[in-house]
Amino acid sequence: QVQLVESGGGLVQPGGSLRLSCVASGFTLDYYNIGWFRQGPGKEREGVSCSGRDGDTFYADSVKGRFTISRDSAKNTVYLQMNSLKPEDTAVYYCAADFTLIAQALCVTTSDVSELDAWGQGTQVTVSS
């Protein structure tokens, strides 16, 4: 069974950090392009950061310099390190995988993660004092 499970969300003060994890089962993440998406209250879903299986990465302008995407092949896991968090980063964060779309396309063109090969249920991130 193909599955992605996110964890690591929570409540953090502005300026703080969180690391999200996305563990895959039923398939090997190394063979897929992976993305982190988010949907904040009253906002459309946004591709935050994506990692291509060829090593390419993409970051939305809103998170460039603050967020870092990485993979751990041994753990079949992808991470999103989030630093200098802002209230506008508050959202449900989802990870998703696709065999075909390269990193930038995955982040920019995906309108619904259910269009992709696999996606998780999301983890809530709340940035508030």
Side-chain angles (χ1 to χ4, degrees), residues 5-10 12 16-23 29 34-39 46-51 56-72 76-86 88-96 107 122-127:
V5 178
E6 305 95 336
S7 63
V12 63
S17 298
L18 282 175
R19 188 178 77 159
L20 305 183
S21 300
C22 173
V23 180
L29 277 179
I34 308 297
W36 284 97
F37 301 81
R38 69 184 180 187
Q39 187 161 20
E46 174 186 23
V48 174
S49 179
C50 292
S51 167
D56 269 356
T57 57
F58 172 86
Y59 295 93
D61 287 344
S62 57
V63 306
K64 226 173 258 185
R66 300 188 298 123
F67 290 12
T68 304
I69 191 170
S70 62
R71 298 174 182 242
D72 185 331
N76 212 27
T77 298
V78 63
Y79 301 101
L80 185 67
Q81 178 66 43
M82 306 186 296
N83 298 329
S84 302
L85 283 162
K86 305 175 181 180
E88 52 263 44
D89 294 318
T90 294
V92 178
Y93 284 72
Y94 304 84
C95 66
C107 263
T123 185
Q124 176 70 47
V125 171
T126 302
V127 184

